[in-house]
Amino acid sequence: MKRSFLLLCVALCFGNSIYGQSRFHVDIDGAFNLGLHEHSSYYKDSGHPHGYSYGLTLRYDVSERWSAGAGIALSREFNRNHRTAPIYATVRYKALKQLPETYVFTNVGYSSSTLGSKLDSGFSGSLGIGYTKMFAKHFGLNFQLGYNLKTFNNEDMYGGDDHTDVRHSILFGVGVTF
């Protein structure tokens, strides 16, 4: 009994010391992707591509200005009804000392169709600027504006040629940071 209680106290103290350090962050965000252009070798009408994505990112502050991590997102693009779940790496850099809340970011990842039968595989990448307003030590709001590029590898089930759709979008994101 005493041994279990001691292990519980050590675990709580160790957990609080990790959480007390503000180097680890969890970001939960959503984004609207306003489509600029979609190129498909199969479809002629590109329509008005737009979509939504929701992501979960785990980050670590490498230094005062650099942050890196990994995440997963679920996204849906409505023009061709593409669904993806890219696993991505993220890097943030706070370029301006006068505005420490602003940063530039990049997310680079790949979605595999083996994760689910209704998911499209392909590359996913974003590049942009962001702003984080912290209200407490471990709570803040995050805003992002950027460029998003996605490819969708479409396999022809009837033995024809495979083709790739390419979508260019402007990303408008809002989320919370812990």
Side-chain angles (χ1 to χ4, degrees), residues 6-82:
L6 180 63
L7 285 174
L8 179 65
C9 289
V10 169
L12 287 174
C13 291
F14 182 70
N16 280 342
S17 68
I18 289 177
Y19 187 74
Q21 297 175 0
S22 60
R23 289 185 169 264
F24 291 98
H25 302 282
V26 176
D27 300 321
I28 301 171
D29 55 8
F32 174 73
N33 297 324
L34 177 63
L36 298 173
H37 177 71
E38 180 176 354
H39 172 72
S40 174
S41 59
Y42 188 72
Y43 296 106
K44 298 300 179 197
D45 178 26
S46 64
H48 299 287
H50 69 280
Y52 298 95
S53 66
Y54 305 98
L56 173 69
T57 307
L58 303 173
R59 287 185 301 112
Y60 177 75
D61 290 339
V62 178
S63 69
E64 187 177 317
R65 295 180 135 196
W66 287 95
S67 182
I72 187 166
L74 296 173
S75 70
R76 182 171 181 192
E77 307 295 336
F78 288 101
N79 192 34
R80 300 280 177 242
N81 201 22
H82 294 293

Side-chain angles (χ1 to χ4, degrees), residues 86-134:
I87 297 172
Y88 58 89
T90 186
V91 175
R92 292 184 181 181
Y93 177 65
K94 296 178 181 178
L96 302 174
K97 286 185 180 181
Q98 297 83 3
L99 299 170
E101 299 89 7
T102 60
Y103 59 89
V104 292
F105 72 93
T106 184
N107 299 334
V108 178
Y110 188 81
S111 177
S112 177
S113 61
T114 59
L115 293 175
S117 61
K118 296 186 180 211
L119 295 176
D120 294 317
S121 64
F123 171 81
S124 177
S126 298
L127 177 67
I129 59 171
Y131 176 81
T132 301
K133 175 64 178 168
M134 297 300 288

